[in-house]
Amino acid sequence: MADAKEVDDRDRLDDLMTNLARARVALGLAAFAAPKLTVKLMTSAGGTDPGRDYVARMFAAREIALGAGYLLSDGPGRRLWARAGLLVDSLDTVSGLRTRRGLPLWATAGATAVAGGAAALGAAKVARDILR
C-alpha cells in the first residue's frame, strides 16, 4: 500500500499532466483561430504569410490532438499519449536550440523553456509509468 507522500506525488503529477493537456488544447485553439497573432507573439514576425499561417495551424492541430487525446483517455491510453507528448516536446526543445540564430533570443529562450519544461514533465510521467 502506498504511503501518503506517494499518493500526493502521484496526484500532483497527474494534475500537472492534466493541466499541460488543457494548455495544449487552449494554445492549439488559439493558434488555429489566429495563426498570425500566435506567430507574432512567439517570434515577432508580422505581415501576411499564408505559408506561415498554414504551418501554425498544423502546429495547432497537433497540440489539440495531444491535449485532447490525453484528456479523453485513461489507463494505457493515457500512458501512450504521455509518451507521444514527451517525444513531441523533446523534438521541439531540440528544434528550438537548433534555430537559435534565426530568431530573437527571447523567442528562442521562451519557446525552448516551455518545450523543455513540458518534456521534463512528460519524462517524469513516463518514468513513473514504467517503474510501476
Side-chain angles (χ1 to χ4, degrees):
M1 184 161 155
D3 64 20
K5 182 173 178 0
E6 289 173 357
V7 171
D8 287 345
D9 287 343
R10 184 173 52 244
D11 290 344
R12 266 184 267 155
L13 184 55
D14 289 337
D15 288 346
L16 288 170
M17 287 296 293
T18 299
N19 288 335
L20 174 61
R22 289 177 180 144
R24 284 187 191 281
V25 172
L27 177 61
L29 290 172
F32 194 83
K36 179 180 174 182
L37 177 61
T38 303
V39 171
K40 185 173 183 173
L41 290 172
M42 293 176 70
T43 66
S44 75
T48 302
D49 185 345
R52 177 208 53 221
D53 292 352
Y54 174 64
V55 171
R57 285 191 172 110
M58 288 187 338
F59 160 79
R62 177 194 82 172
E63 290 301 306
I64 293 168
L66 286 169
Y70 188 86
L71 291 171
L72 297 173
S73 63
D74 58 5
R78 202 165 250 207
R79 288 189 288 276
L80 179 63
W81 283 106
R83 288 183 172 116
L86 172 59
L87 175 63
V88 166
D89 294 327
S90 297
L91 292 172
D92 284 350
T93 302
V94 170
S95 295
L97 294 172
R98 289 191 54 159
T99 58
R100 163 57 202 114
R101 294 183 184 169
L103 294 173
L105 178 59
W106 65 267
T108 300
T112 303
V114 169
L121 182 57
K125 169 73 170 141
V126 169
R128 190 188 73 195
D129 290 344
I130 290 171
L131 295 174
R132 279 191 183 172

